[in-house]
């Protein structure tokens, strides 16, 4: 990801097809926020979106559990799949607590997210900090070449500057780039996919696009499937205009599918079925 332009995110927002994705997402989000249920039961929609978003993110990280099992379970300390689901749930709960810090210190937020996700499953000295040279990374979904520790540090600083300096780019573009860059860097020894998708959520909430966190992009990423997720990410990794636009469009579709999920929740609440 180049940071040489004065506002590289705005340049990405102008790529062919991206304005259409941005417009489609904005309209979808506006529709669900206009649902009559949102006027009096938005907290219930938010809670359900958090649960479903966590389930979707965990599914992409290899723990594809039924929603009712996620809802029913209280102990997530057992096998690796259970720990993955537990990490996703903790991250979703944490995301809304970090909004005030994100714009001033995104690296601090990322460290906190990894600390929350790891939950004691990673050696203490490796939790909440970027990996050092020679340290292994456990991220089974992403098989792209792993950047070295020095490159990770430099690119994290560049990403941090982009967030702190601000951009005129739409929230969809910023969230997609944050997500893609963290997935490309895999800066931590574990839980990178979970952290990357949570950071995407933080941007969508904090930008004002989805202030009540009712449009879980994680649901949409999971619904499109792991193969499509990886294929779109490869477009990001290519760095080409076409590849970057395809990744942003994929993330936009994920938000729209998250909107569809929460719209269904609204309809169920209206009928008294949820």
């Amino acid at each position: 990801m180049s940071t040489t332009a004065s506002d590289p995110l705005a340049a990405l927002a102008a790529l062919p097809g991206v304005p259409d994705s941005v417009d489609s997402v904005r309209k979808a989000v506006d529709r669900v926020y206009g649902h009559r249920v949102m006027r009096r039961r938005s907290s219930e929609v938010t809670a359900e979106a958090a649960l479903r978003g966590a389930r979707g993110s965990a599914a992409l990280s290899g723990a594809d559990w039924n929603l009712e099992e996620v809802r029913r379970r209280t102990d997530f300390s057992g096998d690796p799949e259970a720990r993955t689901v537990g990490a996703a749930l903790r991250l979703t709960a944490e995301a809304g607590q970090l909004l005030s810090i994100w714009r001033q210190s995104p690296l601090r937020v990322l460290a906190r997210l990894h600390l929350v996700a790891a939950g004691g499953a990673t050696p203490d000295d490796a939790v909440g900090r970027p990996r050092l040279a020679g340290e292994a990374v456990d991220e089974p979904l992403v098989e792209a070449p792993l950047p070295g520790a020095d490159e990770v540090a430099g690119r994290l600083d560049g990403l941090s500057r982009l967030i702190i300096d601000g951009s005129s780019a739409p929230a969809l573009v910023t969230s997609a780039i944050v997500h893609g860059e963290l997935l490309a860097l895999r800066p931590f020894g574990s839980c990178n996919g979970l952290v990357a998708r949570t950071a995407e959520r933080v941007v969508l909430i904090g930008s004002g696009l989805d202030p009540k966190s009712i449009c879980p992009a994680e649901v949409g990423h999971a619904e499109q499937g792991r193969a499509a997720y990886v294929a779109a990410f490869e477009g990001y990794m290519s760095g080409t205009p076409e590849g970057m636009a395809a990744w942003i469009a994929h993330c936009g579709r994920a938000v729209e599918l998250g909107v569809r999920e929460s719209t269904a929740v609204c309809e169920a609440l209206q009928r008294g079925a949820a």
Side-chain angles (χ1 to χ4, degrees), residues 176-177 179-180 183 221 229 232-233 235-236 243-252:
I177 297 309
H179 181 172
L183 212 57
H221 286 304
Y229 184 73
F233 173 64
Y236 178 87
M244 299 294 282
W247 169 249
I248 294 168
H250 182 87
C251 292

Side-chain angles (χ1 to χ4, degrees), residues 10-30:
L12 293 174
L15 290 174
V18 172
D20 290 339
S21 294
V22 169
D23 185 57
S24 182
V25 166
R26 178 77 265 176
K27 289 177 179 177
V29 172
D30 286 347

Side-chain angles (χ1 to χ4, degrees), residues 111-255:
R112 173 62 185 171
L113 291 177
H114 186 245
L115 179 67
V116 169
T122 302
D124 288 349
D125 64 350
V127 172
R129 62 154 174 80
R131 54 186 168 82
L132 304 177
E135 290 185 333
V137 173
D138 179 15
E139 189 58 51
L141 180 60
V142 179
E143 298 180 353
L146 194 65
D150 288 345
E151 182 180 350
V152 168
R155 287 171 65 176
L156 280 177
D157 283 343
L159 182 64
S160 178
R161 285 196 301 273
L162 284 178
I163 300 303
I164 293 170
D165 291 346
S167 170
S168 62
L172 171 63
V173 174
T174 303
S175 64
I177 297 309
V178 167
H179 181 172
E181 189 70 353
L182 292 175
L183 212 57
L185 294 178
R186 283 148 287 161
F188 304 110
S190 62
C191 305
N192 288 290
L194 295 172
V195 168
R197 290 184 288 276
T198 305
E200 177 184 45
R201 173 184 282 267
V202 168
V203 175
L204 292 171
I205 300 169
S207 67
L209 178 65
D210 182 22
K212 295 187 177 182
S213 192
I214 61 166
C215 307
E218 304 96 323
V219 168
H221 286 304
E223 187 170 332
Q224 293 178 89
R226 296 179 80 183
Y229 184 73
V230 170
F233 173 64
E234 287 173 353
Y236 178 87
M237 288 290 290
S238 75
T240 65
E242 296 79 10
M244 299 294 282
W247 169 249
I248 294 168
H250 182 87
C251 292
R253 179 60 178 157
V255 176

